[in-house]
Amino acid sequence: MISSIAELISDRIGAMPAGERRAAQTLIANYPLTGLKTVAEFSAAAGVSSPTILRFVARLGFQNYPEFQSALQDELAAQLQSPVSRTLNPGSTGGAVSPMLEATLDNLRETFRHLTDKQLADIAARLAERRGKTFLIGGRFTDPLARYMAAHLAIIQPDVYHLAGQESIWRDRLIDMGKRDILVIFDIRRYQESLVRFAEKAHQRGVQIILFTDQWLSPIARFARHVIAGRTAVPSAWDSSAALFVVAETLIGAVTRQLEAAGAKRIRELENLR
């Protein structure tokens, strides 16, 4: 399975010198459009030299800049695919359970292959800090994941809120958000513009954003402190959130372990109230 450029960056950014790391961060902040510019424009945006951009591209495994841009163009086309186009794709037809199962298992393996233990540990530690409030929200098809994760976190710690309803209701909650708070967002292709606007407003208020997205990266990545890029493509008209669901459950388990004493006390109190 071919890795996306965002996944390649995640795998290799730890070994990059400072200039290449700035190039990587600049690309992720406006993914994939920065990489579709000329080398000179990319280097100017990143504040590094053109040779640094070319070394960055080579570190990702590309022979030259046009090959790198061709891969980004393929990813952009994949981002924009609608369920209709995937239905009409001959490679996506068929009704057997086995291809769907295999694709889902591949998605799980690839998602966790590109997630480091440190990344998961850092996110779990932030979710367990209890310095402020935690808000969770998702898009049209991913909001059930946000609701599921919020339901679990709310049992083991206070001040956890699932944001539901219309966009105007989310915006009203911005007044309660600040630098001590966390916003967890689930957003996969075709990315929801209302979520992007909401994330930008929250970011402007200093809220730390944890983004669950796909391998092509929601535009919200430019505002996020942590980005979890899961595999979602399956032989179906619809993307699968199974890998993101398992990552969410992994983090729920990690946060529960970190809050073991306080969480157990809170659960006992909740049980006594029933």
Side-chain angles (χ1 to χ4, degrees), residues 180-228:
R180 297 167 64 87
D181 301 325
I182 302 170
L183 175 60
V184 180
I185 304 179
F186 293 81
D187 187 37
I188 62 176
R189 69 173 178 183
R190 311 159 75 199
Y191 311 113
Q192 191 163 316
E193 192 59 37
S194 57
L195 284 179
V196 179
R197 290 193 298 268
F198 182 68
E200 183 175 15
K201 292 290 186 183
H203 175 70
Q204 290 169 353
R205 294 182 66 84
V207 179
Q208 291 191 21
I209 295 174
I210 299 171
L211 172 65
F212 286 72
T213 186
D214 52 34
Q215 70 205 68
W216 304 287
L217 299 189
S218 162
I220 294 169
R222 71 176 69 113
F223 310 119
R225 179 72 173 271
H226 299 283
V227 178
I228 294 169

mmCIF file of all heavy atoms in Angstrom, residues 180-228:
data_model
loop_
_atom_site.group_PDB
_atom_site.id
_atom_site.type_symbol
_atom_site.label_atom_id
_atom_site.label_comp_id
_atom_site.label_asym_id
_atom_site.label_seq_id
_atom_site.Cartn_x
_atom_site.Cartn_y
_atom_site.Cartn_z
ATOM 1 N N ARG A 180 -6.433 26.864 28.003
ATOM 2 C CA ARG A 180 -6.283 25.651 28.807
ATOM 3 C C ARG A 180 -7.101 24.486 28.262
ATOM 4 O O ARG A 180 -7.007 23.376 28.778
ATOM 5 C CB ARG A 180 -6.706 25.934 30.249
ATOM 6 C CG ARG A 180 -5.847 26.973 30.952
ATOM 7 C CD ARG A 180 -6.492 27.454 32.239
ATOM 8 N NE ARG A 180 -6.611 26.382 33.208
ATOM 9 C CZ ARG A 180 -5.663 26.044 34.084
ATOM 10 N NH1 ARG A 180 -4.526 26.736 34.105
ATOM 11 N NH2 ARG A 180 -5.838 25.089 34.943
ATOM 12 N N ASP A 181 -7.891 24.751 27.231
ATOM 13 C CA ASP A 181 -8.859 23.763 26.754
ATOM 14 C C ASP A 181 -8.373 22.999 25.521
ATOM 15 O O ASP A 181 -7.444 23.422 24.821
ATOM 16 C CB ASP A 181 -10.187 24.447 26.442
ATOM 17 C CG ASP A 181 -10.767 25.157 27.649
ATOM 18 O OD1 ASP A 181 -10.599 24.643 28.776
ATOM 19 O OD2 ASP A 181 -11.367 26.240 27.476
ATOM 20 N N ILE A 182 -9.045 21.871 25.261
ATOM 21 C CA ILE A 182 -8.728 20.996 24.127
ATOM 22 C C ILE A 182 -9.974 20.860 23.268
ATOM 23 O O ILE A 182 -11.089 20.723 23.774
ATOM 24 C CB ILE A 182 -8.308 19.590 24.615
ATOM 25 C CG1 ILE A 182 -7.104 19.665 25.550
ATOM 26 C CG2 ILE A 182 -7.997 18.672 23.429
ATOM 27 C CD1 ILE A 182 -6.816 18.340 26.249
ATOM 28 N N LEU A 183 -9.764 20.863 21.963
ATOM 29 C CA LEU A 183 -10.839 20.592 21.016
ATOM 30 C C LEU A 183 -10.417 19.407 20.157
ATOM 31 O O LEU A 183 -9.420 19.471 19.438
ATOM 32 C CB LEU A 183 -11.101 21.816 20.138
ATOM 33 C CG LEU A 183 -12.127 21.652 19.009
ATOM 34 C CD1 LEU A 183 -13.503 21.274 19.561
ATOM 35 C CD2 LEU A 183 -12.207 22.931 18.180
ATOM 36 N N VAL A 184 -11.161 18.312 20.256
ATOM 37 C CA VAL A 184 -10.898 17.113 19.453
ATOM 38 C C VAL A 184 -11.866 17.138 18.267
ATOM 39 O O VAL A 184 -13.085 17.205 18.456
ATOM 40 C CB VAL A 184 -11.101 15.824 20.274
ATOM 41 C CG1 VAL A 184 -10.830 14.589 19.412
ATOM 42 C CG2 VAL A 184 -10.190 15.824 21.506
ATOM 43 N N ILE A 185 -11.309 17.080 17.042
ATOM 44 C CA ILE A 185 -12.135 17.171 15.840
ATOM 45 C C ILE A 185 -11.902 15.948 14.964
ATOM 46 O O ILE A 185 -10.760 15.539 14.731
ATOM 47 C CB ILE A 185 -11.792 18.434 15.026
ATOM 48 C CG1 ILE A 185 -11.934 19.693 15.885
ATOM 49 C CG2 ILE A 185 -12.686 18.530 13.793
ATOM 50 C CD1 ILE A 185 -11.594 20.980 15.151
ATOM 51 N N PHE A 186 -12.996 15.382 14.461
ATOM 52 C CA PHE A 186 -12.947 14.293 13.484
ATOM 53 C C PHE A 186 -13.402 14.851 12.137
ATOM 54 O O PHE A 186 -14.520 15.357 12.018
ATOM 55 C CB PHE A 186 -13.867 13.143 13.904
ATOM 56 C CG PHE A 186 -13.426 12.418 15.145
ATOM 57 C CD1 PHE A 186 -13.692 12.938 16.408
ATOM 58 C CD2 PHE A 186 -12.748 11.210 15.059
ATOM 59 C CE1 PHE A 186 -13.296 12.260 17.553
ATOM 60 C CE2 PHE A 186 -12.344 10.524 16.197
ATOM 61 C CZ PHE A 186 -12.619 11.052 17.449
ATOM 62 N N ASP A 187 -12.529 14.770 11.113
ATOM 63 C CA ASP A 187 -12.881 15.335 9.804
ATOM 64 C C ASP A 187 -12.141 14.577 8.702
ATOM 65 O O ASP A 187 -10.907 14.593 8.657
ATOM 66 C CB ASP A 187 -12.515 16.823 9.755
ATOM 67 C CG ASP A 187 -13.018 17.510 8.496
ATOM 68 O OD1 ASP A 187 -14.124 17.169 8.033
ATOM 69 O OD2 ASP A 187 -12.306 18.401 7.985
ATOM 70 N N ILE A 188 -12.889 13.892 7.848
ATOM 71 C CA ILE A 188 -12.291 13.157 6.735
ATOM 72 C C ILE A 188 -12.826 13.710 5.416
ATOM 73 O O ILE A 188 -13.735 14.528 5.389
ATOM 74 C CB ILE A 188 -12.551 11.637 6.853
ATOM 75 C CG1 ILE A 188 -14.048 11.326 6.802
ATOM 76 C CG2 ILE A 188 -11.936 11.085 8.141
ATOM 77 C CD1 ILE A 188 -14.375 9.832 6.812
ATOM 78 N N ARG A 189 -12.201 13.244 4.295
ATOM 79 C CA ARG A 189 -12.564 13.819 2.988
ATOM 80 C C ARG A 189 -14.046 13.658 2.712
ATOM 81 O O ARG A 189 -14.651 12.684 3.144
ATOM 82 C CB ARG A 189 -11.732 13.154 1.872
ATOM 83 C CG ARG A 189 -12.095 11.694 1.607
ATOM 84 C CD ARG A 189 -11.380 11.140 0.413
ATOM 85 N NE ARG A 189 -11.742 9.727 0.237
ATOM 86 C CZ ARG A 189 -11.232 8.933 -0.694
ATOM 87 N NH1 ARG A 189 -10.327 9.396 -1.530
ATOM 88 N NH2 ARG A 189 -11.611 7.669 -0.788
ATOM 89 N N ARG A 190 -14.664 14.421 2.045
ATOM 90 C CA ARG A 190 -14.625 15.761 1.558
ATOM 91 C C ARG A 190 -14.861 16.689 2.727
ATOM 92 O O ARG A 190 -15.960 16.788 3.227
ATOM 93 C CB ARG A 190 -15.654 15.898 0.476
ATOM 94 C CG ARG A 190 -15.519 14.753 -0.549
ATOM 95 C CD ARG A 190 -16.736 14.500 -1.353
ATOM 96 N NE ARG A 190 -16.918 15.517 -2.367
ATOM 97 C CZ ARG A 190 -18.115 15.708 -2.940
ATOM 98 N NH1 ARG A 190 -19.162 15.007 -2.546
ATOM 99 N NH2 ARG A 190 -18.241 16.596 -3.859
ATOM 100 N N TYR A 191 -13.812 17.321 3.160
ATOM 101 C CA TYR A 191 -13.726 18.000 4.442
ATOM 102 C C TYR A 191 -14.828 19.046 4.619
ATOM 103 O O TYR A 191 -15.185 19.748 3.691
ATOM 104 C CB TYR A 191 -12.338 18.614 4.588
ATOM 105 C CG TYR A 191 -11.261 17.613 4.248
ATOM 106 C CD1 TYR A 191 -10.471 17.779 3.128
ATOM 107 C CD2 TYR A 191 -11.086 16.464 5.012
ATOM 108 C CE1 TYR A 191 -9.512 16.840 2.783
ATOM 109 C CE2 TYR A 191 -10.136 15.513 4.675
ATOM 110 C CZ TYR A 191 -9.345 15.708 3.556
ATOM 111 O OH TYR A 191 -8.417 14.774 3.209
ATOM 112 N N GLN A 192 -15.343 19.102 5.852
ATOM 113 C CA GLN A 192 -16.503 19.938 6.134
ATOM 114 C C GLN A 192 -16.074 21.373 6.413
ATOM 115 O O GLN A 192 -15.378 21.645 7.397
ATOM 116 C CB GLN A 192 -17.273 19.361 7.322
ATOM 117 C CG GLN A 192 -18.638 19.982 7.535
ATOM 118 C CD GLN A 192 -19.502 19.111 8.431
ATOM 119 O OE1 GLN A 192 -19.553 17.889 8.287
ATOM 120 N NE2 GLN A 192 -20.184 19.734 9.374
ATOM 121 N N GLU A 193 -16.494 22.292 5.561
ATOM 122 C CA GLU A 193 -16.049 23.676 5.653
ATOM 123 C C GLU A 193 -16.444 24.312 6.972
ATOM 124 O O GLU A 193 -15.696 25.134 7.536
ATOM 125 C CB GLU A 193 -16.631 24.467 4.482
ATOM 126 C CG GLU A 193 -16.021 25.840 4.309
ATOM 127 C CD GLU A 193 -14.521 25.816 4.079
ATOM 128 O OE1 GLU A 193 -14.029 24.907 3.385
ATOM 129 O OE2 GLU A 193 -13.829 26.700 4.633
ATOM 130 N N SER A 194 -17.610 23.952 7.508
ATOM 131 C CA SER A 194 -18.036 24.536 8.785
ATOM 132 C C SER A 194 -17.095 24.135 9.923
ATOM 133 O O SER A 194 -16.829 24.931 10.833
ATOM 134 C CB SER A 194 -19.461 24.099 9.115
ATOM 135 O OG SER A 194 -19.568 22.688 9.162
ATOM 136 N N LEU A 195 -16.554 22.917 9.859
ATOM 137 C CA LEU A 195 -15.590 22.485 10.872
ATOM 138 C C LEU A 195 -14.275 23.244 10.737
ATOM 139 O O LEU A 195 -13.632 23.569 11.741
ATOM 140 C CB LEU A 195 -15.333 20.978 10.752
ATOM 141 C CG LEU A 195 -16.406 20.031 11.275
ATOM 142 C CD1 LEU A 195 -15.983 18.584 11.053
ATOM 143 C CD2 LEU A 195 -16.694 20.277 12.754
ATOM 144 N N VAL A 196 -13.863 23.494 9.498
ATOM 145 C CA VAL A 196 -12.625 24.249 9.272
ATOM 146 C C VAL A 196 -12.757 25.656 9.855
ATOM 147 O O VAL A 196 -11.852 26.140 10.542
ATOM 148 C CB VAL A 196 -12.285 24.307 7.764
ATOM 149 C CG1 VAL A 196 -11.013 25.127 7.543
ATOM 150 C CG2 VAL A 196 -12.107 22.906 7.183
ATOM 151 N N ARG A 197 -13.888 26.304 9.597
ATOM 152 C CA ARG A 197 -14.111 27.647 10.147
ATOM 153 C C ARG A 197 -14.110 27.629 11.668
ATOM 154 O O ARG A 197 -13.522 28.502 12.324
ATOM 155 C CB ARG A 197 -15.448 28.205 9.640
ATOM 156 C CG ARG A 197 -15.473 28.550 8.164
ATOM 157 C CD ARG A 197 -16.709 29.374 7.828
ATOM 158 N NE ARG A 197 -17.954 28.654 8.079
ATOM 159 C CZ ARG A 197 -18.585 27.935 7.157
ATOM 160 N NH1 ARG A 197 -18.089 27.818 5.939
ATOM 161 N NH2 ARG A 197 -19.728 27.327 7.453
ATOM 162 N N PHE A 198 -14.759 26.617 12.231
ATOM 163 C CA PHE A 198 -14.840 26.516 13.686
ATOM 164 C C PHE A 198 -13.452 26.279 14.289
ATOM 165 O O PHE A 198 -13.089 26.891 15.298
ATOM 166 C CB PHE A 198 -15.783 25.375 14.058
ATOM 167 C CG PHE A 198 -15.996 25.198 15.530
ATOM 168 C CD1 PHE A 198 -16.671 26.148 16.270
ATOM 169 C CD2 PHE A 198 -15.520 24.073 16.187
ATOM 170 C CE1 PHE A 198 -16.867 25.992 17.638
ATOM 171 C CE2 PHE A 198 -15.717 23.903 17.544
ATOM 172 C CZ PHE A 198 -16.394 24.863 18.274
ATOM 173 N N ALA A 199 -12.663 25.403 13.653
ATOM 174 C CA ALA A 199 -11.314 25.118 14.140
ATOM 175 C C ALA A 199 -10.444 26.371 14.102
ATOM 176 O O ALA A 199 -9.668 26.632 15.031
ATOM 177 C CB ALA A 199 -10.682 24.012 13.296
ATOM 178 N N GLU A 200 -10.577 27.156 13.040
ATOM 179 C CA GLU A 200 -9.783 28.384 12.937
ATOM 180 C C GLU A 200 -10.126 29.351 14.069
ATOM 181 O O GLU A 200 -9.235 29.943 14.696
ATOM 182 C CB GLU A 200 -10.010 29.037 11.583
ATOM 183 C CG GLU A 200 -9.166 30.282 11.371
ATOM 184 C CD GLU A 200 -9.290 30.865 9.980
ATOM 185 O OE1 GLU A 200 -10.243 30.475 9.255
ATOM 186 O OE2 GLU A 200 -8.453 31.709 9.614
ATOM 187 N N LYS A 201 -11.415 29.510 14.354
ATOM 188 C CA LYS A 201 -11.838 30.399 15.436
ATOM 189 C C LYS A 201 -11.321 29.904 16.791
ATOM 190 O O LYS A 201 -10.856 30.689 17.627
ATOM 191 C CB LYS A 201 -13.361 30.505 15.469
ATOM 192 C CG LYS A 201 -13.981 31.226 14.280
ATOM 193 C CD LYS A 201 -13.674 32.705 14.305
ATOM 194 C CE LYS A 201 -14.416 33.432 13.201
ATOM 195 N NZ LYS A 201 -14.063 34.879 13.161
ATOM 196 N N ALA A 202 -11.403 28.597 17.006
ATOM 197 C CA ALA A 202 -10.915 28.030 18.271
ATOM 198 C C ALA A 202 -9.401 28.224 18.388
ATOM 199 O O ALA A 202 -8.882 28.564 19.459
ATOM 200 C CB ALA A 202 -11.275 26.552 18.347
ATOM 201 N N HIS A 203 -8.701 28.001 17.289
ATOM 202 C CA HIS A 203 -7.244 28.185 17.276
ATOM 203 C C HIS A 203 -6.882 29.629 17.627
ATOM 204 O O HIS A 203 -5.925 29.879 18.378
ATOM 205 C CB HIS A 203 -6.716 27.816 15.892
ATOM 206 C CG HIS A 203 -5.252 28.079 15.706
ATOM 207 N ND1 HIS A 203 -4.273 27.349 16.340
ATOM 208 C CD2 HIS A 203 -4.597 29.009 14.948
ATOM 209 C CE1 HIS A 203 -3.082 27.810 15.983
ATOM 210 N NE2 HIS A 203 -3.253 28.811 15.144
ATOM 211 N N GLN A 204 -7.630 30.578 17.107
ATOM 212 C CA GLN A 204 -7.383 31.993 17.390
ATOM 213 C C GLN A 204 -7.563 32.307 18.870
ATOM 214 O O GLN A 204 -6.954 33.251 19.382
ATOM 215 C CB GLN A 204 -8.301 32.870 16.542
ATOM 216 C CG GLN A 204 -7.968 32.856 15.058
ATOM 217 C CD GLN A 204 -9.034 33.517 14.200
ATOM 218 O OE1 GLN A 204 -10.119 33.892 14.683
ATOM 219 N NE2 GLN A 204 -8.757 33.656 12.911
ATOM 220 N N ARG A 205 -8.368 31.493 19.566
ATOM 221 C CA ARG A 205 -8.578 31.693 21.004
ATOM 222 C C ARG A 205 -7.559 30.916 21.832
ATOM 223 O O ARG A 205 -7.639 30.898 23.064
ATOM 224 C CB ARG A 205 -9.998 31.282 21.385
ATOM 225 C CG ARG A 205 -11.070 32.172 20.769
ATOM 226 C CD ARG A 205 -12.474 31.749 21.204
ATOM 227 N NE ARG A 205 -12.692 31.939 22.631
ATOM 228 C CZ ARG A 205 -13.059 33.088 23.191
ATOM 229 N NH1 ARG A 205 -13.232 34.161 22.440
ATOM 230 N NH2 ARG A 205 -13.248 33.176 24.495
ATOM 231 N N GLY A 206 -6.617 30.257 21.163
ATOM 232 C CA GLY A 206 -5.563 29.532 21.865
ATOM 233 C C GLY A 206 -5.910 28.115 22.260
ATOM 234 O O GLY A 206 -5.157 27.473 23.002
ATOM 235 N N VAL A 207 -7.052 27.615 21.794
ATOM 236 C CA VAL A 207 -7.460 26.240 22.110
ATOM 237 C C VAL A 207 -6.520 25.260 21.407
ATOM 238 O O VAL A 207 -6.175 25.450 20.234
ATOM 239 C CB VAL A 207 -8.914 25.988 21.666
ATOM 240 C CG1 VAL A 207 -9.339 24.557 21.966
ATOM 241 C CG2 VAL A 207 -9.847 26.985 22.344
ATOM 242 N N GLN A 208 -6.107 24.213 22.112
ATOM 243 C CA GLN A 208 -5.260 23.185 21.501
ATOM 244 C C GLN A 208 -6.150 22.179 20.781
ATOM 245 O O GLN A 208 -7.058 21.603 21.386
ATOM 246 C CB GLN A 208 -4.414 22.491 22.563
ATOM 247 C CG GLN A 208 -3.340 23.388 23.145
ATOM 248 C CD GLN A 208 -2.353 22.615 23.992
ATOM 249 O OE1 GLN A 208 -2.208 21.404 23.873
ATOM 250 N NE2 GLN A 208 -1.666 23.318 24.881
ATOM 251 N N ILE A 209 -5.866 21.966 19.509
ATOM 252 C CA ILE A 209 -6.702 21.105 18.682
ATOM 253 C C ILE A 209 -6.008 19.770 18.431
ATOM 254 O O ILE A 209 -4.832 19.716 18.083
ATOM 255 C CB ILE A 209 -7.020 21.793 17.338
ATOM 256 C CG1 ILE A 209 -7.875 23.041 17.590
ATOM 257 C CG2 ILE A 209 -7.739 20.834 16.385
ATOM 258 C CD1 ILE A 209 -8.123 23.882 16.354
ATOM 259 N N ILE A 210 -6.772 18.698 18.638
ATOM 260 C CA ILE A 210 -6.332 17.346 18.275
ATOM 261 C C ILE A 210 -7.214 16.899 17.123
ATOM 262 O O ILE A 210 -8.436 16.817 17.267
ATOM 263 C CB ILE A 210 -6.460 16.371 19.465
ATOM 264 C CG1 ILE A 210 -5.581 16.847 20.628
ATOM 265 C CG2 ILE A 210 -6.086 14.948 19.046
ATOM 266 C CD1 ILE A 210 -5.802 16.065 21.918
ATOM 267 N N LEU A 211 -6.609 16.625 15.983
ATOM 268 C CA LEU A 211 -7.362 16.314 14.770
ATOM 269 C C LEU A 211 -7.251 14.837 14.410
ATOM 270 O O LEU A 211 -6.154 14.300 14.308
ATOM 271 C CB LEU A 211 -6.836 17.156 13.603
ATOM 272 C CG LEU A 211 -7.389 16.818 12.207
ATOM 273 C CD1 LEU A 211 -8.891 17.102 12.127
ATOM 274 C CD2 LEU A 211 -6.625 17.592 11.133
ATOM 275 N N PHE A 212 -8.399 14.196 14.221
ATOM 276 C CA PHE A 212 -8.477 12.864 13.638
ATOM 277 C C PHE A 212 -8.902 13.055 12.183
ATOM 278 O O PHE A 212 -10.004 13.542 11.920
ATOM 279 C CB PHE A 212 -9.529 12.006 14.346
ATOM 280 C CG PHE A 212 -9.137 11.506 15.709
ATOM 281 C CD1 PHE A 212 -9.065 12.373 16.793
ATOM 282 C CD2 PHE A 212 -8.863 10.160 15.928
ATOM 283 C CE1 PHE A 212 -8.725 11.920 18.048
ATOM 284 C CE2 PHE A 212 -8.526 9.696 17.181
ATOM 285 C CZ PHE A 212 -8.457 10.570 18.248
ATOM 286 N N THR A 213 -8.060 12.671 11.238
ATOM 287 C CA THR A 213 -8.376 12.878 9.830
ATOM 288 C C THR A 213 -7.901 11.678 9.016
ATOM 289 O O THR A 213 -7.561 10.635 9.585
ATOM 290 C CB THR A 213 -7.753 14.196 9.327
ATOM 291 O OG1 THR A 213 -8.184 14.460 7.999
ATOM 292 C CG2 THR A 213 -6.246 14.171 9.388
ATOM 293 N N ASP A 214 -7.896 11.812 7.694
ATOM 294 C CA ASP A 214 -7.449 10.733 6.825
ATOM 295 C C ASP A 214 -6.026 10.991 6.348
ATOM 296 O O ASP A 214 -5.396 11.974 6.742
ATOM 297 C CB ASP A 214 -8.416 10.565 5.645
ATOM 298 C CG ASP A 214 -8.671 11.877 4.926
ATOM 299 O OD1 ASP A 214 -7.746 12.713 4.856
ATOM 300 O OD2 ASP A 214 -9.798 12.081 4.432
ATOM 301 N N GLN A 215 -5.527 10.113 5.494
ATOM 302 C CA GLN A 215 -4.136 10.201 5.062
ATOM 303 C C GLN A 215 -3.857 11.421 4.187
ATOM 304 O O GLN A 215 -2.703 11.788 3.962
ATOM 305 C CB GLN A 215 -3.738 8.938 4.296
ATOM 306 C CG GLN A 215 -4.395 8.803 2.930
ATOM 307 C CD GLN A 215 -4.489 7.370 2.487
ATOM 308 O OE1 GLN A 215 -5.228 6.579 3.054
ATOM 309 N NE2 GLN A 215 -3.731 7.019 1.458
ATOM 310 N N TRP A 216 -4.926 12.075 3.682
ATOM 311 C CA TRP A 216 -4.750 13.243 2.816
ATOM 312 C C TRP A 216 -4.835 14.551 3.599
ATOM 313 O O TRP A 216 -4.596 15.603 3.040
ATOM 314 C CB TRP A 216 -5.780 13.214 1.689
ATOM 315 C CG TRP A 216 -5.712 11.936 0.912
ATOM 316 C CD1 TRP A 216 -4.737 11.560 0.020
ATOM 317 C CD2 TRP A 216 -6.635 10.849 0.971
ATOM 318 N NE1 TRP A 216 -5.002 10.314 -0.477
ATOM 319 C CE2 TRP A 216 -6.163 9.841 0.083
ATOM 320 C CE3 TRP A 216 -7.820 10.610 1.669
ATOM 321 C CZ2 TRP A 216 -6.841 8.631 -0.114
ATOM 322 C CZ3 TRP A 216 -8.477 9.414 1.479
ATOM 323 C CH2 TRP A 216 -7.989 8.443 0.600
ATOM 324 N N LEU A 217 -5.200 14.509 4.833
ATOM 325 C CA LEU A 217 -5.200 15.619 5.782
ATOM 326 C C LEU A 217 -6.259 16.686 5.527
ATOM 327 O O LEU A 217 -6.215 17.414 4.536
ATOM 328 C CB LEU A 217 -3.825 16.314 5.835
ATOM 329 C CG LEU A 217 -2.625 15.483 6.266
ATOM 330 C CD1 LEU A 217 -1.430 16.387 6.468
ATOM 331 C CD2 LEU A 217 -2.904 14.669 7.502
ATOM 332 N N SER A 218 -7.154 16.808 6.467
ATOM 333 C CA SER A 218 -8.111 17.911 6.478
ATOM 334 C C SER A 218 -7.360 19.243 6.561
ATOM 335 O O SER A 218 -6.289 19.326 7.179
ATOM 336 C CB SER A 218 -9.035 17.775 7.692
ATOM 337 O OG SER A 218 -9.686 18.993 7.980
ATOM 338 N N PRO A 219 -7.909 20.311 5.976
ATOM 339 C CA PRO A 219 -7.296 21.632 6.139
ATOM 340 C C PRO A 219 -7.149 22.063 7.596
ATOM 341 O O PRO A 219 -6.360 22.960 7.908
ATOM 342 C CB PRO A 219 -8.258 22.563 5.392
ATOM 343 C CG PRO A 219 -8.960 21.690 4.420
ATOM 344 C CD PRO A 219 -9.075 20.351 5.077
ATOM 345 N N ILE A 220 -7.878 21.419 8.471
ATOM 346 C CA ILE A 220 -7.780 21.734 9.902
ATOM 347 C C ILE A 220 -6.380 21.425 10.435
ATOM 348 O O ILE A 220 -5.975 21.960 11.472
ATOM 349 C CB ILE A 220 -8.859 20.960 10.689
ATOM 350 C CG1 ILE A 220 -10.254 21.461 10.284
ATOM 351 C CG2 ILE A 220 -8.694 21.089 12.196
ATOM 352 C CD1 ILE A 220 -11.396 20.608 10.794
ATOM 353 N N ALA A 221 -5.617 20.603 9.719
ATOM 354 C CA ALA A 221 -4.260 20.255 10.163
ATOM 355 C C ALA A 221 -3.403 21.483 10.415
ATOM 356 O O ALA A 221 -2.521 21.474 11.276
ATOM 357 C CB ALA A 221 -3.591 19.341 9.136
ATOM 358 N N ARG A 222 -3.666 22.575 9.679
ATOM 359 C CA ARG A 222 -2.849 23.774 9.845
ATOM 360 C C ARG A 222 -3.062 24.426 11.212
ATOM 361 O O ARG A 222 -2.223 25.210 11.662
ATOM 362 C CB ARG A 222 -3.118 24.777 8.731
ATOM 363 C CG ARG A 222 -4.469 25.463 8.789
ATOM 364 C CD ARG A 222 -4.596 26.506 7.680
ATOM 365 N NE ARG A 222 -4.673 25.854 6.390
ATOM 366 C CZ ARG A 222 -5.764 25.864 5.624
ATOM 367 N NH1 ARG A 222 -6.849 26.491 6.023
ATOM 368 N NH2 ARG A 222 -5.776 25.252 4.473
ATOM 369 N N PHE A 223 -4.172 24.083 11.873
ATOM 370 C CA PHE A 223 -4.466 24.663 13.182
ATOM 371 C C PHE A 223 -4.209 23.685 14.329
ATOM 372 O O PHE A 223 -4.330 24.070 15.499
ATOM 373 C CB PHE A 223 -5.931 25.113 13.256
ATOM 374 C CG PHE A 223 -6.378 25.958 12.102
ATOM 375 C CD1 PHE A 223 -7.415 25.539 11.274
ATOM 376 C CD2 PHE A 223 -5.757 27.163 11.825
ATOM 377 C CE1 PHE A 223 -7.832 26.315 10.207
ATOM 378 C CE2 PHE A 223 -6.166 27.948 10.761
ATOM 379 C CZ PHE A 223 -7.197 27.526 9.947
ATOM 380 N N ALA A 224 -3.898 22.448 14.011
ATOM 381 C CA ALA A 224 -3.867 21.387 15.021
ATOM 382 C C ALA A 224 -2.516 21.259 15.706
ATOM 383 O O ALA A 224 -1.462 21.377 15.068
ATOM 384 C CB ALA A 224 -4.256 20.054 14.392
ATOM 385 N N ARG A 225 -2.568 20.983 17.005
ATOM 386 C CA ARG A 225 -1.352 20.681 17.778
ATOM 387 C C ARG A 225 -0.935 19.234 17.537
ATOM 388 O O ARG A 225 0.248 18.922 17.467
ATOM 389 C CB ARG A 225 -1.643 20.920 19.260
ATOM 390 C CG ARG A 225 -0.485 20.617 20.200
ATOM 391 C CD ARG A 225 0.613 21.643 20.083
ATOM 392 N NE ARG A 225 1.633 21.458 21.091
ATOM 393 C CZ ARG A 225 1.590 22.016 22.301
ATOM 394 N NH1 ARG A 225 0.571 22.804 22.634
ATOM 395 N NH2 ARG A 225 2.555 21.824 23.165
ATOM 396 N N HIS A 226 -1.912 18.350 17.427
ATOM 397 C CA HIS A 226 -1.656 16.936 17.156
ATOM 398 C C HIS A 226 -2.557 16.491 16.003
ATOM 399 O O HIS A 226 -3.739 16.842 15.964
ATOM 400 C CB HIS A 226 -1.962 16.070 18.383
ATOM 401 C CG HIS A 226 -1.131 16.401 19.586
ATOM 402 N ND1 HIS A 226 0.184 16.008 19.713
ATOM 403 C CD2 HIS A 226 -1.435 17.095 20.717
ATOM 404 C CE1 HIS A 226 0.660 16.431 20.877
ATOM 405 N NE2 HIS A 226 -0.304 17.096 21.496
ATOM 406 N N VAL A 227 -1.999 15.709 15.075
ATOM 407 C CA VAL A 227 -2.762 15.202 13.929
ATOM 408 C C VAL A 227 -2.631 13.688 13.870
ATOM 409 O O VAL A 227 -1.520 13.150 13.832
ATOM 410 C CB VAL A 227 -2.261 15.806 12.600
ATOM 411 C CG1 VAL A 227 -3.037 15.216 11.422
ATOM 412 C CG2 VAL A 227 -2.396 17.325 12.614
ATOM 413 N N ILE A 228 -3.762 13.014 13.894
ATOM 414 C CA ILE A 228 -3.804 11.564 13.695
ATOM 415 C C ILE A 228 -4.380 11.322 12.302
ATOM 416 O O ILE A 228 -5.534 11.643 12.034
ATOM 417 C CB ILE A 228 -4.673 10.876 14.759
ATOM 418 C CG1 ILE A 228 -4.025 11.032 16.130
ATOM 419 C CG2 ILE A 228 -4.892 9.405 14.423
ATOM 420 C CD1 ILE A 228 -4.917 10.620 17.273
#
